[in-house]
Each structure stands twice: as C-alpha cells, then as structure tokens.
Amino acid sequence: MRLVFVLLALVVAPSGAFAASNFTRHNAPGPNAVGLKVVEQYDFSRGYRGETDVETGKPITGERARPIQTLIWYPATKGSGRSLTVGDYVKLGVTADDFEHAPAERGAMQAKFAAAQVATLPPTRAKAELAAPMSARLDAAPASGKFPVVIYAPSFNAEAYENADLCEYLASHGYLVIASPSFGQASRGMTTDLEGVEAQVRDIEFLIGYAHGLPRADTSRLAVAGYSWGGLANAMAAAKDGRIRALVTLDGSVRYWPNIVKQSQYLTPARVTAPMLYIAAAPKSVEDTAADVNRDQSFLAKMKYADLYKVTMYPYVHANFSVMFGQRLKGDYGAYDKDELSIANGWVETYVLRFLDGYLKGDGAARAFLDMPVAKTGAPRHLLAIDVTKSTGAPPTRAAFAAELNRVGFDKALATYQAFKTRDPGFEIDETELNRWGYQRLAAGDTHMAVGVLKLAADLHPDSWNAFDSLGEAYAADGDKASAIAAYSRSVVLNPKNANGEAQLKALGAKP
C-alpha cells in the first residue's frame, strides 16, 4: 500500500480584521487534544478510472486503482502538531481522488478550489469562514491508549471533511474517527443507484480493514456514522458486518430510498441488529414527500431487532446536517438564524456522543440520557423530539436458529422452526440449504445434529423423496437402523426409481 502524507498550507491566515464565522460551537471539547492525519492511499482490489477519461476522451495515465483519501481524527497530546483552519480542510477537496500533482501545482489548485467554495458569500464573510480556527492540529503526536473507532460516511458526492466539527468533537472525547469521500464506482460522480451506494459500502469496509492496522484503534468497539447517502451505506455495511456495534445516521437515505433497500436484498431488519441513532430533519408536509416514502415502505418502521432512537431536529432542513457546507459555507439558513442552528448542532453532537458512549463504552448514564424525555435533558422543548423503540430480541436468522438448536437440542428442530416462523413469517430455510447443512454435519461427524437437520427437511417437505433419502443416510450413520430403513422406504415409495434408496435398503437387510 502506497501512503502519501499531505502537509497542508494555510489558504488564508486568521485575522482579527475579519468578521466572525457564522458558526458558533456551543459544546466544550472533551479532555483530549485532537490530531488530524491525512493519508492518500489506494484500494488496489478495485479499479476506478477506465482507460480513457469519461469527459475528455483522453487516455488515462497514472494509477487506476480506487483512490481513498483518508482523514483520521484521533486523541492527541496537547501542544503538538500545527493548528488548522476551515480553509485547510476545504482545499483537500480538489485532490480528493487525484494524488499525482507536484506540490506547486497542488497549491495553486487548492487555493482556487477553496475560493470557489465561498464564491457566493460576501468577501468579508468568505475570508472569515476560511480563516475560522478548527480544533484539530495536523500530525499531532497521538495520545497513549486505544480508542473506539467511528467510520464516517459522507453524504452524496461529498468530501470526507463535511462534518469535521463533529469528527473533531468525538476525537476530543476519546474516539478515533476515520472518513473518506463519497465517490461513485468509477468516477468522482456518485450515482443514485445500487452500484453507487455499494461503492460507498466498499469504502467503509476498506476503512474498517485499514483501522485494524492502526495501533491506537480498538476495532472491537466499532461504529459507523453516515449523513444522507452515507446514512444508507452505513446501514448496508452493518447488514453485512456484525462487528459494527452501533450506527449513527444523520437524516440518512435508508429512510428515503426504499427502492434501493429492496434492490439490495440483504438490507433487512433481521440483519441490522446494531443499535441506531437516527437524527432527522423537520418533517416535510405530505405534499412535499415522495410517494414511495411512507410508513409501509420505511425501513425504520420495520426495525425490530435493534434499539432505535429517532431524534427530530425541528430547526434543521436536510442540508443543515453538514456543518461545513450547510452552516459554515452557506449564506441562507432558512426559517432559523445562524445562532439557532448552532445551538441545534450542539444538541446533535450531544446525542451522538451519548449514544456512542452508551453503546461503545458501556456508559450507563449515557444510556439513561437517551431514554429521557426531552424536557429532562435540558434541551429547549421546541428544539427537538425523541422517539425510542427497543429491540424485541435476537432476530430469527439462520445463525440464531442454529444457536437455539444448540441450546435446546437438534431433536427439537421442528418446534424451534415453527417458533421462529411465528416471530417472523418471513423466516425460512429452504430444502436445499437444509440438505447442505445436514451433510456438512455428517462430514464433520456430528451425526445427531445431521439427523435433526435432515429430519426437519423431511418434516417440512413430506413429498420430497430426496429429503427422506438424505435422512436415511443420517440415521444409518447415527446407528439408528430402524429409522434408516423407515426413511429409505418412504423415499422409495415417493420415487420408485430411487436406485440409491433400494441399494441402501438391501444393505440394511430390508426389502425395497
């Protein structure tokens, strides 16, 4: 893996002559200083650019593997590293997927890019925003210890630093936060389809793997946070990876793209068991809501096997969840003023921190806070609302079914299967899977388990000659000759051409 560490230069220097930033931090940072490291690396397991540029048609030169610009916020020792401004973050966007520029060329590109991001602001305000100081210090010496890991997945086509304020805040409270940009499968442009979001899922998976190589990362305590499109990708990642222990979703698209949830097939409530904090924008009117966004389609409404905390921020529209772009670098704040939005952001940070402390650090007081009515949290009552739904227990999955059989006995397979079906009518293990499972147990020498599984197959499929043929083999291996004969006999009745069944009956001393 080729790593390139970027030394940032100031876009503009802070100056007391400039107006203040429109964003005000209301929460004091945690006890840790914060460091930032920027790593330019590639996921060589995936391609990114084709042979020619999709816009110019010119041949592509240089590395064609997927670039992963990686930002790492971490607890640091005080006084080390170089201070950063908003402008230092913003200019990272210009080379987010192209690392092969000489320093002089890169500097000119970055300055131009940063200026473009504030082009709609009055000049004084633009300077103030770019010069606003941030908490992190570049390449600061890391603090000792190991820290829980939070992977941050940005919104549609957004930069890794879109919520740098939140990432810094979490790092100050003892978290290691890692983010990369939201790019499409084969170009910087993200696409609103399954291929696009799965590209971001793969990025999350890459960052989880990368975290395992960091000496300060405690990957046994892992969460994934995501905003908008990233709040669909993080749920999909959790459906595939049970190591993810918590999900933070900032007005996530898991709520707004039911068609992609359906297309994925694997993003189901039974596979998302990590607790979720979903912080939503103010609800839209019925007239403004898409026809396919309703309770019947909602993934959140179907979640049963994970604790779900839904916090609605009434001052927020969707864009406000990115502090960097929705609040710092934007001039229009809608129906609320900048100070009200800054206060709201403080409560977003509070809920995110309490949620992660509760589920990754085992903090009982933090868990209790999440269950409090808004009136008891100290938040203004008009600011937010919270709705809590607790898990109904372990989901009825294939893995959970095996665990339950291990507990109660494989001879109780049918009753256990029926109990799982009662809990979730969609639970099913087809005959082919049961047959494969049974033969795996036979090959491992677990003949009693094999009998239980293959008898379940025969019970569920009483007209299947193959199910009874397999069951006969399991009984014979388990030393139950009478039951083996009965199973093979039933198989031959169902399929008189079953030559194997007839041969096995003869070998057992029975008439076909």
Side-chain angles (χ1 to χ4, degrees), residues 122-162:
T124 301
R125 165 88 191 285
K127 292 180 180 179
E129 294 300 349
L130 291 177
M134 298 294 288
S135 299
R137 298 178 71 88
L138 183 67
D139 295 335
S144 60
K146 300 192 75 169
F147 306 99
V149 175
V150 180
I151 306 298
Y152 178 81
S155 60
F156 189 88
N157 231 146
E159 309 297 344
Y161 56 80
E162 73 172 4

Side-chain angles (χ1 to χ4, degrees), residues 71-94:
L71 276 57
I72 310 159
W73 293 269
Y74 53 92
T77 59
K78 296 183 185 298
S80 60
R82 183 174 64 76
S83 60
L84 297 171
T85 65
V86 168
D88 288 315
Y89 277 109
V90 170
K91 68 180 185 177
L92 289 171
V94 72

Side-chain angles (χ1 to χ4, degrees), residues 11-51:
V11 173
V12 290
S15 169
F18 297 153
S21 167
N22 269 15
F23 176 75
T24 303
R25 179 172 292 287
H26 282 267
N27 291 339
N32 300 285
V34 178
L36 171 70
K37 189 170 290 294
V38 182
V39 180
E40 294 181 344
Q41 57 183 323
Y42 293 94
D43 180 354
F44 289 103
S45 72
R46 291 188 283 166
Y48 182 62
R49 293 181 174 88
E51 294 184 354

Side-chain angles (χ1 to χ4, degrees), residues 431 455-468 490-491 493-494:
E431 181 184 354
K455 186 175 187 307
L456 175 62
D459 287 337
L460 295 177
H461 305 280
D463 295 328
S464 170
W465 69 268
N466 188 63
F468 283 96
R490 179 59 183 164
S491 177
V493 168
L494 291 170

